[in-house]
Amino acid sequence: GAGVSQSPRYKVAKRGQDVALRCDPISGHVSLFWYQQALGQGPEFLTYFQNEAQLDKSGLPSDRFFAERPEGSVSTLKIQRTQQEDSAVYLCASSPRQGANTGELFFGEGSRLTVL
Amino acid sequence: AQRVTQPEKLLSVFKGAPVELKCNYSYSGSPELFWYVQYSRQRLQLLLRHISRESIKGFTADLNKGETSFHLKKPFAQEEDSAMYYCALKMTSGSRLTFGEGTQLTVNP
């Protein structure tokens, strides 16, 4: 596909369950971002990868959140022991540029997580 | 810390009327400002960025450093402009975007 692909599109989890969200960026894009978007809010930064290196994880809300991009392409965001406040849309975005020159971001459709 | 404020959550105008979506920011350095748009059932996408100084779909935005604003304007709104609009800021040395809360624009026929 031509765009950023995310799966699953929808996920319902019981409180305490672990979830894994996948992002397949545009081929060749070196930069990859994860954002969290709560209902009625703008996207909030979680973490940034440049190739396989996680250069910024300052936005991860707790140590229950973990992200990886082991081969510099596909990325997985994992949330352990989910809580109701984790309910949100998780957006992945990629860019062909890196660092301060990332410029335009290309977003996926998001993964909507609902924690019961 | 940097912050982006969009004071209007909802904005409704009639077709053909001018529209202005407000965006104010706080950042001590020289920011890069963007407007992103999300049409119904579509993904978030870039509308324009201040360094390009171009008009996209009839929209323009001027960075006013004195007023720390980056308002989005269009002289004649169209029904297809109905969407959620997000203003976003990137710091000079950073890579992340800081988004505002968004403004839902509805253009009525």
Side-chain angles (χ1 to χ4, degrees):
Chain A
V4 177
S5 178
Q6 292 188 245
S7 63
R9 292 289 316 281
Y10 303 92
K11 175 69 179 178
V12 178
K14 292 183 178 178
R15 188 160 55 95
Q17 281 186 329
D18 297 348
V19 300
L21 308 176
R22 176 190 168 106
C23 173
D24 205 334
I26 294 172
S27 179
H29 279 200
V30 298
S31 291
L32 186 146
F33 298 80
W34 283 98
Y35 285 84
Q36 180 190 57
Q37 186 171 22
L39 189 63
Q41 304 294 316
E44 290 199 6
F45 170 81
L46 292 177
T47 187
Y48 165 60
F49 289 87
Q50 183 175 303
N51 295 306
E52 70 278 3
Q54 189 175 20
L55 299 187
D56 187 351
K57 55 181 181 179
S58 61
L60 297 176
S62 77
D63 58 7
R64 296 185 295 104
F65 286 71
F66 172 77
E68 59 182 3
R69 194 186 185 197
E71 297 179 357
S73 55
V74 172
S75 177
T76 304
L77 176 67
K78 298 179 180 178
I79 309 173
Q80 297 177 321
R81 305 181 303 282
T82 52
Q83 304 294 316
Q84 285 190 322
E85 61 263 29
D86 300 335
S87 296
V89 175
Y90 290 86
L91 296 170
C92 178
S94 69
S95 168
R97 299 183 177 181
Q98 61 191 25
N101 298 314
T102 46
E104 177 180 3
L105 297 188
F106 296 84
F107 283 84
E109 293 179 297
S111 291
R112 182 180 295 276
L113 172 65
T114 302
V115 182
L116 303 177
Chain B
Q2 68 279 11
R3 183 179 176 86
V4 176
T5 303
Q6 294 180 248
E8 304 137 329
K9 274 202 173 291
L10 302 172
L11 185 62
S12 182
V13 301
F14 285 102
K15 177 182 173 181
V19 64
E20 180 180 67
L21 290 83
K22 291 184 167 53
C23 172
N24 289 90
Y25 67 90
S26 60
Y27 174 54
S28 56
S30 292
E32 190 173 346
L33 274 296
F34 303 80
W35 277 98
Y36 278 78
V37 61
Q38 187 166 27
Y39 300 102
S40 180
R41 290 183 292 278
Q42 294 189 26
R43 62 189 68 196
L44 198 57
Q45 60 185 284
L46 179 67
L47 180 62
L48 55 80
R49 51 195 298 188
H50 89 272
I51 62 172
S52 300
R53 303 186 66 83
E54 56 190 349
S55 173
I56 304 293
K57 298 184 179 182
F59 284 97
T60 59
D62 291 319
L63 178 59
N64 186 322
K65 292 186 177 181
E67 296 183 357
T68 59
S69 68
F70 188 56
H71 302 328
L72 183 68
K73 301 176 184 179
K74 185 170 182 176
F76 308 104
Q78 302 299 313
E79 289 180 68
E80 54 265 31
D81 295 329
S82 295
M84 179 68 85
Y85 291 80
Y86 294 96
C87 183
L89 175 152
K90 190 178 81 66
M91 297 187 294
T92 312
S93 59
S95 53
R96 68 166 76 176
L97 291 178
T98 298
F99 286 87
E101 293 191 345
T103 297
Q104 177 68 52
L105 174 66
T106 302
V107 181
N108 299 297

